[in-house]
Amino acid sequence: MSAAGVKCFSYTPVMNIFEMPLFIGNNSSIVWAIIGFVVAFLSALLLVLIFGFNESNTEKLFAKVTSGKKSLTEKKTAKLGLNVKDEAAASTATEEAEHPAVNVSDLNLAETVYSPVAGNPVPLSQVDDPVFSSGAMGSGVGVLPSEGTCVSPVDGEITVAFPTGHAYGIKSDNGVEVLIHIGINTVELKGKHFDPKIETGAKVKKGDLLTTFEPDKIKEAGYDPTTMVIVTNTNNYEAVVPELDQDAAMNQPLIQVYSK
């Protein structure tokens, strides 16, 4: 459409076939606009026909958002009539498949990410948020906090500090990018029950205070306070290994990041 000189004469945040009149005007071709729309639709259709549609991955990302609807897997499980014991065994098998033992003997330790909060670590796949549990944001750990203090897990720079105090991005001095997200959907609290202590661009050392928060009041407000610690540039490394054997204390190793 651009190569054919098509022009849009008014801004619209949503583009669909009902917005076609916006392309009508001097030195613009509505015909080429229509052709562009058709090509876009057919290209998308053709790519799906060629490469397929991954129902499983899409389900993890979108099926269990706050609507409370059951995911496709839950519906299929219900149809199979699996009992609680079977589900527990299936969950264990899934966890072992998602987190197989990693041989790091030939790898170099690139970074140790320490726990930013004290609490009980849980596998990321068990976090009740499909965006995190699917691994779409990267590998990491969930921690159910036992107290309301969050500190920097590495030496580095604050790349993102949400003014609401619920999430922080940190790039370590060794290049590992860490996301700390306190609670699930807690952005909706608009900063209530959080007291942020640091801003974007600040240099931090491991253990420096990022924010304080009130886990009990977050629960009372209807939100899960589980804190996600994610290595967002996971694909840059050979292995990202969570430490899940014991309760986490602040400044205790939580994730080991390995390179070749």
Side-chain angles (χ1 to χ4, degrees):
M1 290 167 67
S2 177
V6 176
K7 295 180 176 64
C8 185
F9 293 92
S10 180
Y11 170 77
T12 176
V14 179
M15 184 57 66
N16 55 54
I17 59 173
F18 301 106
E19 310 292 347
M20 294 303 293
L22 299 181
F23 295 102
I24 299 174
N26 293 332
N27 301 317
S28 182
S29 172
I30 185 66
V31 173
W32 277 107
I34 294 172
I35 292 173
F37 266 66
V38 172
V39 169
F41 277 108
L42 292 181
S43 297
L45 174 62
L46 183 62
L47 289 171
V48 172
L49 292 176
I50 293 173
F51 294 104
F53 183 80
N54 192 324
E55 179 186 85
S56 176
N57 288 344
T58 304
E59 174 198 20
K60 288 179 180 179
L61 287 173
F62 301 112
K64 292 183 68 178
V65 287
T66 55
S67 63
K69 295 179 180 178
K70 288 187 176 181
S71 68
L72 297 176
T73 297
E74 288 173 318
K75 291 177 181 178
K76 292 172 183 175
T77 300
K79 288 181 180 179
L80 290 173
L82 295 178
N83 58 33
V84 174
K85 183 177 180 181
D86 293 334
E87 290 180 2
S91 177
T92 301
T94 301
E95 190 62 39
E96 290 175 351
E98 291 179 354
H99 299 283
V102 179
N103 183 3
V104 297
S105 59
D106 295 329
L107 302 178
N108 296 314
L109 182 62
E111 184 76 79
T112 296
V113 178
Y114 293 83
S115 183
V117 296
N120 179 32
V122 296
L124 197 61
S125 61
Q126 295 181 12
V127 170
D128 193 21
D129 186 315
V131 173
F132 293 112
S133 62
S134 67
M137 297 290 291
S139 298
V141 182
V143 181
L144 186 60
S146 57
E147 57 184 72
T149 302
C150 178
V151 301
S152 176
V154 293
D155 297 343
E157 180 180 350
I158 302 294
T159 55
V160 177
F162 279 78
T164 51
H166 79 286
Y168 296 87
I170 306 171
K171 185 173 183 178
S172 80
D173 291 340
N174 294 320
V176 174
E177 297 173 5
V178 181
L179 170 67
I180 302 169
H181 194 287
I182 303 171
I184 296 174
N185 296 326
T186 44
V187 65
E188 297 172 1
L189 291 171
K190 299 180 179 179
K192 191 176 182 180
H193 309 313
F194 291 89
D195 185 12
K197 304 294 185 182
I198 207 159
E199 297 180 349
T200 300
K203 296 287 187 179
V204 291
K205 292 290 186 181
K206 177 178 69 70
D208 285 355
L209 182 63
L210 302 180
T211 187
T212 57
F213 59 101
E214 299 174 286
D216 292 338
K217 291 187 177 180
I218 291 172
K219 286 182 185 178
E220 290 173 5
Y223 295 87
D224 184 340
T226 299
T227 298
M228 280 63 67
V229 185
I230 311 291
V231 176
T232 55
N233 60 342
T234 291
N235 291 338
N236 293 350
Y237 298 93
E238 289 297 309
V240 175
V241 183
E243 302 284 346
L244 301 170
D245 295 337
Q246 56 186 347
D247 285 354
M250 276 189 299
N251 298 320
Q252 173 182 311
L254 185 67
I255 302 171
Q256 305 287 3
V257 183
Y258 294 90
S259 59
K260 286 185 177 181

